[in-house]
Amino acid sequence: EDQVTQSPEALRLQEGESSSLNCSYTVSGLRGLFWYRQDPGKGPEFLFTLYSAGEEKEKERLKATLTKKESFLHITAPKPEDSATYLCAVQAVSGTSYGKLTFGQGTILTVHP
Amino acid sequence: DGGITQSPKYLFRKEGQNVTLSCEQNLNHDAMYWYRQDPGQGLRLIYYSQIVNDFQKGDIAEGYSVSREKKESFPLTVTSAQKNPTAFYLCASSRRGQYEQYFGPGTRLTVT
């Protein structure tokens, strides 16, 4: 069974204080690992897809990296507007073009001014 | 603007009543999905559909039903058989050949 565990559950940072969120996963065969941002009361917003170990993707202050067992979301010099819940999900290789996403429980990030 | 719409944003029902949540997309995506989100838990897949007139059960399909009569629409019915229906319901879609799923704004259902 595919599993995703995110840590920490909650992270409080001061503005400008860089840090990382962790996503550990077990999957029979990884098709892709996905990061989403979710604001309170809203649907998740797609951030990144990572396909293979060693791959990195960047967007503004966020950088996602992938190894064979985990992914990190690095946040550099965060701002209060980066406060949100960050969700990690994996999709296993399957016989079709579509596959379910298995989600972690999320990390709640709060950035104080 | 292309996107996914879910209505209503908030829904209140009495126990024992069936309720239908709407999901529409104009992204021309082939696949559509329904997830449920509860506090402190990851999103869990209820049903998904890859093509019109075909759908598959996800991990927690009991007490739910769906239909896919049009490519753009994938309504979810929460029946009275669902034991804990109060939750945040999210609809998503994806394009053939791409694995990312894009989400709608969600419907918060409260059953008392």
Side-chain angles (χ1 to χ4, degrees), chain B residues 53-101:
Chain B
N53 293 323
D54 187 49
F55 45 83
Q56 288 78 40
K57 293 181 179 179
D59 298 321
I60 55 165
E62 184 175 350
Y64 299 98
S65 66
V66 294
S67 63
R68 186 91 185 273
E69 297 177 0
K70 299 186 299 180
K71 186 176 182 178
E72 303 79 17
S73 179
F74 192 40
L76 172 75
T77 297
V78 184
T79 75
S80 56
Q82 167 51 231
K83 296 192 188 313
N84 297 294
T86 295
F88 190 46
Y89 290 87
L90 289 158
C91 178
S93 68
S94 67
R95 186 193 302 273
R96 182 191 300 273
Q98 292 184 347
Y99 308 129
E100 299 86 10
Q101 294 179 17

CSV table of all heavy atoms in Angstrom, one decimal, chain B residues 53-101:
chain,number,residue,atom,x,y,z
B,53,ASN,N,-19.5,8.1,-19.1
B,53,ASN,CA,-20.2,6.9,-18.8
B,53,ASN,C,-19.4,5.8,-18.2
B,53,ASN,O,-19.8,4.6,-18.2
B,53,ASN,CB,-20.9,6.4,-20.1
B,53,ASN,CG,-22.0,7.4,-20.6
B,53,ASN,OD1,-22.7,8.0,-19.7
B,53,ASN,ND2,-22.1,7.5,-21.9
B,54,ASP,N,-18.3,6.1,-17.6
B,54,ASP,CA,-17.5,5.1,-16.9
B,54,ASP,C,-16.9,5.7,-15.7
B,54,ASP,O,-16.4,6.9,-15.7
B,54,ASP,CB,-16.4,4.6,-17.8
B,54,ASP,CG,-15.6,3.4,-17.2
B,54,ASP,OD1,-16.3,2.5,-16.7
B,54,ASP,OD2,-14.4,3.5,-17.1
B,55,PHE,N,-16.9,5.0,-14.5
B,55,PHE,CA,-16.3,5.5,-13.3
B,55,PHE,C,-15.9,4.3,-12.4
B,55,PHE,O,-16.4,3.2,-12.6
B,55,PHE,CB,-17.2,6.5,-12.6
B,55,PHE,CG,-18.6,6.0,-12.4
B,55,PHE,CD1,-19.0,5.1,-11.4
B,55,PHE,CD2,-19.6,6.5,-13.3
B,55,PHE,CE1,-20.3,4.7,-11.2
B,55,PHE,CE2,-20.9,6.0,-13.1
B,55,PHE,CZ,-21.3,5.2,-12.1
B,56,GLN,N,-14.9,4.6,-11.5
B,56,GLN,CA,-14.4,3.5,-10.7
B,56,GLN,C,-14.4,4.0,-9.2
B,56,GLN,O,-14.3,5.2,-8.9
B,56,GLN,CB,-12.9,3.2,-11.0
B,56,GLN,CG,-12.8,2.4,-12.3
B,56,GLN,CD,-12.9,3.3,-13.5
B,56,GLN,OE1,-12.4,4.4,-13.5
B,56,GLN,NE2,-13.6,2.8,-14.6
B,57,LYS,N,-14.6,3.1,-8.3
B,57,LYS,CA,-14.6,3.4,-6.9
B,57,LYS,C,-13.2,3.7,-6.4
B,57,LYS,O,-12.2,3.0,-6.9
B,57,LYS,CB,-15.1,2.2,-6.1
B,57,LYS,CG,-16.6,1.9,-6.3
B,57,LYS,CD,-17.0,0.7,-5.4
B,57,LYS,CE,-18.5,0.5,-5.6
B,57,LYS,NZ,-19.0,-0.7,-4.8
B,58,GLY,N,-13.1,4.6,-5.5
B,58,GLY,CA,-11.8,4.9,-4.9
B,58,GLY,C,-11.7,4.1,-3.6
B,58,GLY,O,-12.3,3.1,-3.4
B,59,ASP,N,-11.0,4.7,-2.6
B,59,ASP,CA,-10.7,4.0,-1.3
B,59,ASP,C,-11.9,4.1,-0.4
B,59,ASP,O,-12.0,3.2,0.5
B,59,ASP,CB,-9.5,4.7,-0.7
B,59,ASP,CG,-8.3,4.5,-1.5
B,59,ASP,OD1,-8.1,3.4,-2.1
B,59,ASP,OD2,-7.5,5.4,-1.5
B,60,ILE,N,-12.8,5.1,-0.5
B,60,ILE,CA,-13.9,5.3,0.5
B,60,ILE,C,-15.2,5.5,-0.2
B,60,ILE,O,-15.9,6.4,0.1
B,60,ILE,CB,-13.5,6.4,1.4
B,60,ILE,CG1,-13.2,7.7,0.7
B,60,ILE,CG2,-12.4,6.1,2.3
B,60,ILE,CD1,-13.3,9.0,1.6
B,61,ALA,N,-15.6,4.7,-1.2
B,61,ALA,CA,-16.8,4.9,-2.0
B,61,ALA,C,-18.1,4.6,-1.3
B,61,ALA,O,-19.2,5.0,-1.7
B,61,ALA,CB,-16.7,4.0,-3.3
B,62,GLU,N,-18.1,3.8,-0.2
B,62,GLU,CA,-19.3,3.4,0.5
B,62,GLU,C,-20.1,4.6,0.9
B,62,GLU,O,-19.6,5.5,1.6
B,62,GLU,CB,-19.0,2.5,1.7
B,62,GLU,CG,-20.3,2.0,2.3
B,62,GLU,CD,-20.0,1.0,3.5
B,62,GLU,OE1,-18.8,0.6,3.6
B,62,GLU,OE2,-20.9,0.6,4.2
B,63,GLY,N,-21.4,4.7,0.5
B,63,GLY,CA,-22.3,5.8,0.9
B,63,GLY,C,-22.3,6.9,-0.1
B,63,GLY,O,-23.0,7.9,0.2
B,64,TYR,N,-21.6,6.8,-1.2
B,64,TYR,CA,-21.5,7.8,-2.2
B,64,TYR,C,-21.9,7.2,-3.6
B,64,TYR,O,-21.8,6.0,-3.8
B,64,TYR,CB,-20.1,8.4,-2.4
B,64,TYR,CG,-19.5,9.0,-1.1
B,64,TYR,CD1,-18.7,8.3,-0.2
B,64,TYR,CD2,-19.9,10.3,-0.8
B,64,TYR,CE1,-18.2,8.9,0.9
B,64,TYR,CE2,-19.3,11.0,0.3
B,64,TYR,CZ,-18.5,10.2,1.2
B,64,TYR,OH,-18.0,10.9,2.3
B,65,SER,N,-22.4,8.0,-4.5
B,65,SER,CA,-22.6,7.6,-5.9
B,65,SER,C,-22.3,8.8,-6.8
B,65,SER,O,-22.3,9.9,-6.4
B,65,SER,CB,-24.1,7.2,-6.1
B,65,SER,OG,-24.9,8.3,-5.9
B,66,VAL,N,-21.9,8.4,-8.0
B,66,VAL,CA,-21.5,9.5,-9.0
B,66,VAL,C,-22.2,9.1,-10.4
B,66,VAL,O,-22.7,8.0,-10.6
B,66,VAL,CB,-20.0,9.5,-9.2
B,66,VAL,CG1,-19.3,10.1,-8.0
B,66,VAL,CG2,-19.4,8.2,-9.6
B,67,SER,N,-22.1,10.1,-11.3
B,67,SER,CA,-22.5,9.8,-12.7
B,67,SER,C,-21.5,10.7,-13.5
B,67,SER,O,-21.0,11.7,-13.1
B,67,SER,CB,-23.9,10.2,-12.9
B,67,SER,OG,-24.1,11.6,-12.7
B,68,ARG,N,-21.4,10.2,-14.8
B,68,ARG,CA,-20.5,11.0,-15.7
B,68,ARG,C,-21.2,10.9,-17.1
B,68,ARG,O,-20.8,10.2,-18.0
B,68,ARG,CB,-19.1,10.4,-15.8
B,68,ARG,CG,-18.2,11.3,-16.7
B,68,ARG,CD,-17.4,12.3,-15.9
B,68,ARG,NE,-16.6,13.2,-16.7
B,68,ARG,CZ,-15.4,12.9,-17.1
B,68,ARG,NH1,-14.8,11.8,-16.7
B,68,ARG,NH2,-14.7,13.8,-17.8
B,69,GLU,N,-22.2,11.8,-17.3
B,69,GLU,CA,-23.0,11.8,-18.5
B,69,GLU,C,-22.4,12.7,-19.5
B,69,GLU,O,-22.7,12.6,-20.7
B,69,GLU,CB,-24.5,12.1,-18.2
B,69,GLU,CG,-25.2,11.1,-17.3
B,69,GLU,CD,-26.6,11.5,-17.0
B,69,GLU,OE1,-27.0,12.6,-17.5
B,69,GLU,OE2,-27.3,10.8,-16.3
B,70,LYS,N,-21.6,13.7,-19.1
B,70,LYS,CA,-21.0,14.7,-19.9
B,70,LYS,C,-19.5,14.8,-19.5
B,70,LYS,O,-19.2,14.6,-18.3
B,70,LYS,CB,-21.6,16.1,-19.8
B,70,LYS,CG,-23.0,16.1,-20.2
B,70,LYS,CD,-23.5,17.6,-20.2
B,70,LYS,CE,-23.4,18.2,-18.8
B,70,LYS,NZ,-23.9,19.6,-18.8
B,71,LYS,N,-18.6,15.1,-20.4
B,71,LYS,CA,-17.2,15.2,-20.1
B,71,LYS,C,-17.0,16.3,-19.1
B,71,LYS,O,-16.1,16.2,-18.3
B,71,LYS,CB,-16.5,15.5,-21.4
B,71,LYS,CG,-15.0,15.5,-21.3
B,71,LYS,CD,-14.3,15.8,-22.6
B,71,LYS,CE,-12.8,15.7,-22.5
B,71,LYS,NZ,-12.2,15.9,-23.9
B,72,GLU,N,-17.8,17.4,-19.1
B,72,GLU,CA,-17.5,18.5,-18.3
B,72,GLU,C,-18.0,18.4,-16.9
B,72,GLU,O,-17.7,19.2,-16.0
B,72,GLU,CB,-18.2,19.8,-18.9
B,72,GLU,CG,-17.8,20.1,-20.3
B,72,GLU,CD,-18.5,19.2,-21.4
B,72,GLU,OE1,-19.5,18.6,-21.1
B,72,GLU,OE2,-17.9,19.2,-22.5
B,73,SER,N,-18.9,17.4,-16.6
B,73,SER,CA,-19.6,17.3,-15.4
B,73,SER,C,-19.4,16.0,-14.6
B,73,SER,O,-19.5,14.9,-15.3
B,73,SER,CB,-21.1,17.6,-15.6
B,73,SER,OG,-21.8,17.5,-14.5
B,74,PHE,N,-19.3,16.1,-13.3
B,74,PHE,CA,-19.1,14.8,-12.5
B,74,PHE,C,-19.7,15.0,-11.1
B,74,PHE,O,-19.0,15.2,-10.1
B,74,PHE,CB,-17.6,14.5,-12.4
B,74,PHE,CG,-17.2,13.2,-11.8
B,74,PHE,CD1,-17.9,12.0,-12.2
B,74,PHE,CD2,-16.1,13.0,-11.0
B,74,PHE,CE1,-17.6,10.8,-11.7
B,74,PHE,CE2,-15.8,11.8,-10.5
B,74,PHE,CZ,-16.5,10.7,-10.8
B,75,PRO,N,-21.0,15.0,-11.0
B,75,PRO,CA,-21.7,15.2,-9.8
B,75,PRO,C,-21.5,14.1,-8.8
B,75,PRO,O,-21.5,12.9,-9.2
B,75,PRO,CB,-23.2,15.4,-10.2
B,75,PRO,CG,-23.3,14.7,-11.5
B,75,PRO,CD,-22.0,14.8,-12.2
B,76,LEU,N,-21.5,14.4,-7.5
B,76,LEU,CA,-21.3,13.4,-6.4
B,76,LEU,C,-22.6,13.5,-5.5
B,76,LEU,O,-22.9,14.6,-5.1
B,76,LEU,CB,-20.1,13.8,-5.6
B,76,LEU,CG,-19.9,12.9,-4.3
B,76,LEU,CD1,-19.4,11.5,-4.6
B,76,LEU,CD2,-18.9,13.6,-3.4
B,77,THR,N,-23.2,12.3,-5.3
B,77,THR,CA,-24.3,12.3,-4.4
B,77,THR,C,-23.9,11.6,-3.1
B,77,THR,O,-23.3,10.5,-3.1
B,77,THR,CB,-25.5,11.5,-5.0
B,77,THR,OG1,-26.0,12.2,-6.1
B,77,THR,CG2,-26.7,11.4,-4.0
B,78,VAL,N,-24.1,12.3,-2.0
B,78,VAL,CA,-23.8,11.8,-0.7
B,78,VAL,C,-25.1,11.2,-0.1
B,78,VAL,O,-26.1,11.9,0.0
B,78,VAL,CB,-23.3,12.9,0.3
B,78,VAL,CG1,-22.9,12.3,1.6
B,78,VAL,CG2,-22.1,13.6,-0.3
B,79,THR,N,-25.2,9.9,0.0
B,79,THR,CA,-26.5,9.3,0.4
B,79,THR,C,-26.6,9.2,1.9
B,79,THR,O,-25.6,9.4,2.7
B,79,THR,CB,-26.6,7.9,-0.2
B,79,THR,OG1,-25.8,7.0,0.5
B,79,THR,CG2,-26.2,7.9,-1.7
B,80,SER,N,-27.8,8.8,2.3
B,80,SER,CA,-28.0,8.7,3.8
B,80,SER,C,-27.3,7.5,4.4
B,80,SER,O,-27.2,7.4,5.6
B,80,SER,CB,-29.5,8.5,4.0
B,80,SER,OG,-30.0,7.4,3.3
B,81,ALA,N,-26.7,6.6,3.5
B,81,ALA,CA,-25.9,5.5,4.0
B,81,ALA,C,-24.5,5.9,4.4
B,81,ALA,O,-23.8,5.1,5.1
B,81,ALA,CB,-25.9,4.4,2.9
B,82,GLN,N,-24.1,7.1,4.1
B,82,GLN,CA,-22.7,7.5,4.5
B,82,GLN,C,-22.8,7.9,5.9
B,82,GLN,O,-23.5,8.8,6.3
B,82,GLN,CB,-22.3,8.7,3.6
B,82,GLN,CG,-21.1,9.5,4.1
B,82,GLN,CD,-19.9,8.6,4.4
B,82,GLN,OE1,-19.3,8.7,5.5
B,82,GLN,NE2,-19.5,7.7,3.5
B,83,LYS,N,-22.0,7.2,6.8
B,83,LYS,CA,-22.1,7.4,8.2
B,83,LYS,C,-21.6,8.7,8.7
B,83,LYS,O,-22.1,9.2,9.7
B,83,LYS,CB,-21.4,6.2,8.9
B,83,LYS,CG,-22.0,4.9,8.6
B,83,LYS,CD,-21.4,3.8,9.5
B,83,LYS,CE,-21.9,2.4,9.1
B,83,LYS,NZ,-23.3,2.3,8.8
B,84,ASN,N,-20.5,9.2,8.1
B,84,ASN,CA,-19.9,10.5,8.6
B,84,ASN,C,-19.8,11.5,7.4
B,84,ASN,O,-18.7,11.7,7.0
B,84,ASN,CB,-18.6,10.2,9.2
B,84,ASN,CG,-18.7,9.4,10.5
B,84,ASN,OD1,-19.2,9.8,11.5
B,84,ASN,ND2,-18.1,8.2,10.4
B,85,PRO,N,-20.9,12.0,6.9
B,85,PRO,CA,-20.8,12.8,5.7
B,85,PRO,C,-20.2,14.2,5.9
B,85,PRO,O,-19.8,14.8,4.9
B,85,PRO,CB,-22.3,12.9,5.3
B,85,PRO,CG,-23.1,12.8,6.6
B,85,PRO,CD,-22.3,11.8,7.4
B,86,THR,N,-20.2,14.7,7.1
B,86,THR,CA,-19.7,16.1,7.3
B,86,THR,C,-18.2,16.1,7.0
B,86,THR,O,-17.4,15.4,7.6
B,86,THR,CB,-19.9,16.6,8.7
B,86,THR,OG1,-21.3,16.7,9.0
B,86,THR,CG2,-19.3,17.9,9.0
B,87,ALA,N,-17.8,16.9,5.9
B,87,ALA,CA,-16.4,17.0,5.5
B,87,ALA,C,-16.3,18.1,4.4
B,87,ALA,O,-17.3,18.7,4.0
B,87,ALA,CB,-16.0,15.7,4.9
B,88,PHE,N,-15.1,18.3,4.0
B,88,PHE,CA,-14.8,19.2,2.9
B,88,PHE,C,-14.6,18.4,1.6
B,88,PHE,O,-13.7,17.5,1.6
B,88,PHE,CB,-13.5,20.0,3.2
B,88,PHE,CG,-13.2,21.2,2.3
B,88,PHE,CD1,-14.2,22.0,1.9
B,88,PHE,CD2,-11.9,21.4,1.8
B,88,PHE,CE1,-13.9,23.1,1.0
B,88,PHE,CE2,-11.6,22.4,1.0
B,88,PHE,CZ,-12.6,23.3,0.6
B,89,TYR,N,-15.4,18.6,0.6
B,89,TYR,CA,-15.3,17.8,-0.6
B,89,TYR,C,-14.7,18.5,-1.7
B,89,TYR,O,-15.0,19.6,-2.1
B,89,TYR,CB,-16.8,17.3,-1.0
B,89,TYR,CG,-17.3,16.3,0.0
B,89,TYR,CD1,-18.0,16.7,1.1
B,89,TYR,CD2,-17.2,14.9,-0.3
B,89,TYR,CE1,-18.6,15.8,2.0
B,89,TYR,CE2,-17.7,14.0,0.6
B,89,TYR,CZ,-18.4,14.5,1.8
B,89,TYR,OH,-18.9,13.6,2.7
B,90,LEU,N,-13.7,17.8,-2.4
B,90,LEU,CA,-12.9,18.5,-3.4
B,90,LEU,C,-13.0,17.7,-4.7
B,90,LEU,O,-12.9,16.5,-4.7
B,90,LEU,CB,-11.4,18.5,-3.0
B,90,LEU,CG,-11.1,19.5,-1.9
B,90,LEU,CD1,-9.9,19.2,-1.2
B,90,LEU,CD2,-11.1,20.9,-2.5
B,91,CYS,N,-13.3,18.4,-5.8
B,91,CYS,CA,-13.3,17.8,-7.1
B,91,CYS,C,-12.0,18.2,-7.9
B,91,CYS,O,-11.5,19.3,-7.7
B,91,CYS,CB,-14.5,18.3,-7.9
B,91,CYS,SG,-14.7,17.8,-9.6
B,92,ALA,N,-11.5,17.2,-8.7
B,92,ALA,CA,-10.3,17.5,-9.4
B,92,ALA,C,-10.4,17.0,-10.8
B,92,ALA,O,-11.3,16.1,-11.1
B,92,ALA,CB,-9.1,16.9,-8.7
B,93,SER,N,-9.5,17.4,-11.7
B,93,SER,CA,-9.5,16.9,-13.1
B,93,SER,C,-8.1,16.8,-13.6
B,93,SER,O,-7.2,17.5,-13.0
B,93,SER,CB,-10.4,17.7,-14.0
B,93,SER,OG,-9.8,19.0,-14.2
B,94,SER,N,-7.9,16.0,-14.6
B,94,SER,CA,-6.5,15.8,-15.2
B,94,SER,C,-6.7,15.6,-16.7
B,94,SER,O,-7.7,15.0,-17.1
B,94,SER,CB,-5.7,14.8,-14.5
B,94,SER,OG,-6.2,13.5,-14.7
B,95,ARG,N,-5.6,15.9,-17.4
B,95,ARG,CA,-5.6,15.8,-18.9
B,95,ARG,C,-5.0,14.4,-19.2
B,95,ARG,O,-4.1,14.0,-18.5
B,95,ARG,CB,-4.8,16.9,-19.5
B,95,ARG,CG,-4.8,17.0,-21.0
B,95,ARG,CD,-3.8,17.9,-21.5
B,95,ARG,NE,-3.9,19.3,-20.9
B,95,ARG,CZ,-4.7,20.2,-21.4
B,95,ARG,NH1,-5.4,20.0,-22.6
B,95,ARG,NH2,-4.8,21.4,-20.9
B,96,ARG,N,-5.5,13.8,-20.3
B,96,ARG,CA,-4.9,12.6,-20.7
B,96,ARG,C,-3.4,12.8,-21.0
B,96,ARG,O,-3.0,13.7,-21.7
B,96,ARG,CB,-5.6,12.1,-22.0
B,96,ARG,CG,-5.1,10.8,-22.6
B,96,ARG,CD,-5.6,10.6,-24.0
B,96,ARG,NE,-7.0,10.5,-24.0
B,96,ARG,CZ,-7.8,9.5,-23.8
B,96,ARG,NH1,-7.2,8.3,-23.5
B,96,ARG,NH2,-9.1,9.5,-23.8
B,97,GLY,N,-2.6,11.9,-20.5
B,97,GLY,CA,-1.1,12.0,-20.7
B,97,GLY,C,-0.4,12.9,-19.7
B,97,GLY,O,0.8,12.9,-19.7
B,98,GLN,N,-1.1,13.6,-18.9
B,98,GLN,CA,-0.5,14.4,-17.8
B,98,GLN,C,-1.0,13.9,-16.5
B,98,GLN,O,-2.1,13.5,-16.4
B,98,GLN,CB,-0.8,15.9,-18.0
B,98,GLN,CG,-0.2,16.5,-19.2
B,98,GLN,CD,-0.4,18.0,-19.3
B,98,GLN,OE1,-1.3,18.5,-18.6
B,98,GLN,NE2,0.3,18.7,-20.2
B,99,TYR,N,-0.1,13.9,-15.5
B,99,TYR,CA,-0.5,13.2,-14.2
B,99,TYR,C,-0.9,14.2,-13.2
B,99,TYR,O,-1.5,13.8,-12.2
B,99,TYR,CB,0.7,12.4,-13.7
B,99,TYR,CG,1.2,11.5,-14.8
B,99,TYR,CD1,2.6,11.4,-15.1
B,99,TYR,CD2,0.4,10.6,-15.5
B,99,TYR,CE1,3.1,10.6,-16.1
B,99,TYR,CE2,0.8,9.8,-16.4
B,99,TYR,CZ,2.2,9.7,-16.7
B,99,TYR,OH,2.6,8.9,-17.7
B,100,GLU,N,-0.7,15.5,-13.4
B,100,GLU,CA,-1.1,16.5,-12.4
B,100,GLU,C,-2.6,16.6,-12.3
B,100,GLU,O,-3.2,16.6,-13.4
B,100,GLU,CB,-0.5,17.9,-12.7
B,100,GLU,CG,1.0,18.0,-12.7
B,100,GLU,CD,1.6,17.6,-14.0
B,100,GLU,OE1,0.8,17.5,-15.0
B,100,GLU,OE2,2.8,17.5,-14.1
B,101,GLN,N,-3.1,16.7,-11.1
B,101,GLN,CA,-4.6,16.9,-11.0
B,101,GLN,C,-4.8,18.3,-10.5
B,101,GLN,O,-4.0,18.8,-9.6
B,101,GLN,CB,-5.1,15.9,-10.0
B,101,GLN,CG,-5.1,14.4,-10.5
B,101,GLN,CD,-5.6,13.4,-9.5
B,101,GLN,OE1,-6.3,13.8,-8.6
B,101,GLN,NE2,-5.3,12.2,-9.7
